[in-house]
Amino acid sequence: MFRKISYAASCALAVGIKNKFDTPQSVLLQENSLSKLNLQRCLPKVSAGGTECQLYVGDRIKRAVGFPQLTACCKPLRYKDFIISYDTKNRIPNWVYEHLQYYKFYKDDPCDRRINVCPYNEDSAALGNEKPKFHPDCRIHGYHRADVRDYCDTEYELGLMADPANYPFDAEACAETQVMTNVVPIVPGFSCGPWFDLQCYIREKLVRENKSVYVCSGPLFLPSDNDGKVQMKFDVLGEGEVSVPSHFFKVIIIETHDGNLELESYMMPNAKPEEGEEVKLDDYLTPLCQIEHASGLIFFPEKKVCFTSNNKRRGARLHAL
């Protein structure tokens, strides 16, 4: 049986080889030409340097004119003690990341002769230290920079995502917080309400009681319901067209002394608190997934971080990934 099958296969192979060699050369060339023609229909021709070459559409555009680019938005802007992702469209930061540690805030050593240089500190004012002025970041294209003049004759104030009070003994870092890429429009009184309480909570409690604290702050644009229609509305300031966010967020990662990581995330409206209203930070705790949905950000894309909590008061409200 095996011999019969082998003999039949050999005959078929011999016939195929014979047909191939018996086929006229012109027919083979015609078949090859048709195959090349079909390939050319899939890849349009483009002339580059006087010669015809086959390129995909993306390669042709890149070679001829290049792609549009988001200027500084592609790469975060690095400063001494914080880092900023800048939104060139809205002229405000996407987010500002800080790493806060105990020794940057407090002096336990009596021989520590550092002086508090925070411009909002009374001791600094008594020494005659001038408040640093707001200044632009020259790494941002002139088309996309915000200017102090954009805030003139408006009902909004210049708010800072990286707070100068977080760098009381570092004059350089404190001055860098006045860069316009760190500025967002805020409603008067916003920085004196729950947002201020949250910043004090981070400095006075979290930084004191833990190894270090990572803080990511930024603006949010949330839609509003007007007569049954969900719309995205926000004010725009000045000739620079600086967008006014509707909310702000803070994502706080706490590194404890025993090596655990805890997470707290907050979202607050850009509004002045009502007079006599009792402020509770717990009311502004927000699941991280809601902040990611509203901001378009993923906070831990590269690796899965495991968050635990030993904080009994807030343990039930912490948000694991």
Side-chain angles (χ1 to χ4, degrees):
M1 182 67 179
F2 178 78
R3 291 181 178 179
K4 291 182 179 180
I5 295 176
S6 300
Y7 178 77
S10 301
C11 293
L13 179 61
V15 171
I17 295 174
K18 182 177 183 302
N19 291 337
K20 179 178 180 181
F21 283 101
D22 290 343
T23 303
Q25 189 69 19
S26 59
V27 175
L28 293 176
L29 292 175
Q30 185 177 4
E31 291 177 355
N32 292 336
S33 300
L34 291 174
S35 300
K36 291 181 179 180
L37 181 61
N38 293 332
L39 179 61
Q40 290 173 356
R41 290 175 179 175
C42 297
L43 297 176
K45 294 182 179 181
V46 62
S47 178
T51 60
E52 296 290 333
C53 62
Q54 305 296 336
L55 293 175
Y56 290 103
V57 60
D59 296 329
R60 298 202 307 271
I61 295 173
K62 184 177 181 180
R63 174 177 293 187
V65 294
F67 298 141
Q69 292 184 357
L70 298 173
T71 54
C73 186
C74 298
K75 297 181 180 180
L77 303 171
R78 299 179 181 274
Y79 300 89
K80 183 176 181 181
D81 269 352
F82 55 90
I83 187 170
I84 295 178
S85 170
Y86 186 68
D87 184 351
T88 53
K89 179 181 178 181
N90 292 313
R91 281 59 155 168
I92 56 177
N94 291 310
W95 49 259
V96 179
Y97 233 124
E98 303 174 86
H99 182 206
L100 308 180
Q101 294 175 292
Y102 180 86
Y103 76 91
K104 295 181 180 180
F105 288 86
Y106 306 104
K107 298 189 299 182
D108 293 336
D109 187 354
C111 298
D112 191 343
R113 300 184 181 277
R114 292 181 299 172
I115 300 175
N116 194 324
V117 295
C118 178
Y120 306 102
N121 183 271
E122 296 180 358
D123 297 336
S124 178
L127 295 173
N129 295 332
E130 296 183 359
K131 293 183 179 180
K133 298 180 180 180
F134 289 101
H135 57 279
D137 191 322
C138 296
R139 290 174 290 183
I140 303 297
H141 194 284
Y143 293 159
H144 308 135
R145 294 180 193 169
D147 192 89
V148 177
R149 291 171 292 184
D150 294 326
Y151 291 79
C152 295
D153 300 326
T154 69
E155 58 183 7
Y156 296 97
E157 297 178 348
L158 290 85
L160 301 176
M161 290 288 93
D163 192 349
N166 292 341
Y167 313 100
F169 303 113
D170 193 330
E172 181 181 354
C174 193
E176 284 185 336
T177 61
Q178 309 296 310
V179 68
M180 290 303 297
T181 51
N182 185 45
V183 175
V184 290
I186 60 173
V187 173
F190 170 77
S191 59
C192 301
W195 189 259
F196 176 76
D197 294 340
L198 179 57
Q199 291 175 325
C200 291
Y201 164 72
I202 294 172
R203 288 191 292 264
E204 300 296 332
K205 182 175 177 60
L206 298 183
V207 174
R208 279 182 179 272
E209 298 179 357
N210 297 278
K211 182 179 179 180
S212 65
V213 179
Y214 300 87
V215 182
C216 184
S217 310
L220 294 173
F221 294 86
L222 300 184
S224 58
D225 190 350
N226 296 323
D227 298 330
K229 294 183 178 180
V230 180
Q231 298 177 335
M232 184 75 75
K233 289 186 177 182
F234 53 88
D235 293 340
V236 178
L237 309 182
E239 295 182 358
E241 299 179 352
V242 181
S243 301
V244 181
S246 62
H247 291 71
F248 292 97
F249 71 84
K250 273 190 184 292
V251 175
I252 308 167
I253 299 94
I254 307 157
E255 183 181 6
T256 63
H257 290 290
D258 56 3
N260 291 328
L261 294 177
E262 300 178 6
L263 172 68
E264 295 184 22
S265 50
Y266 297 82
M267 182 171 64
M268 298 182 181
N270 186 10
K272 181 181 179 180
E274 298 181 3
E275 295 184 4
E277 181 183 5
E278 184 179 358
V279 176
K280 295 182 180 180
L281 291 181
D282 286 356
D283 296 337
Y284 298 99
L285 280 166
T286 306
L288 182 64
C289 59
Q290 291 186 15
I291 296 177
E292 290 181 326
H293 175 76
S295 63
L297 302 172
I298 299 296
F299 284 90
F300 310 103
E302 296 182 358
K303 60 181 180 179
K304 193 73 173 181
V305 183
C306 181
F307 293 96
T308 59
S309 174
N310 295 322
N311 191 329
K312 295 181 180 179
R313 184 171 69 88
R314 295 177 179 271
R317 301 293 299 277
L318 295 182
H319 319 294
L321 291 178

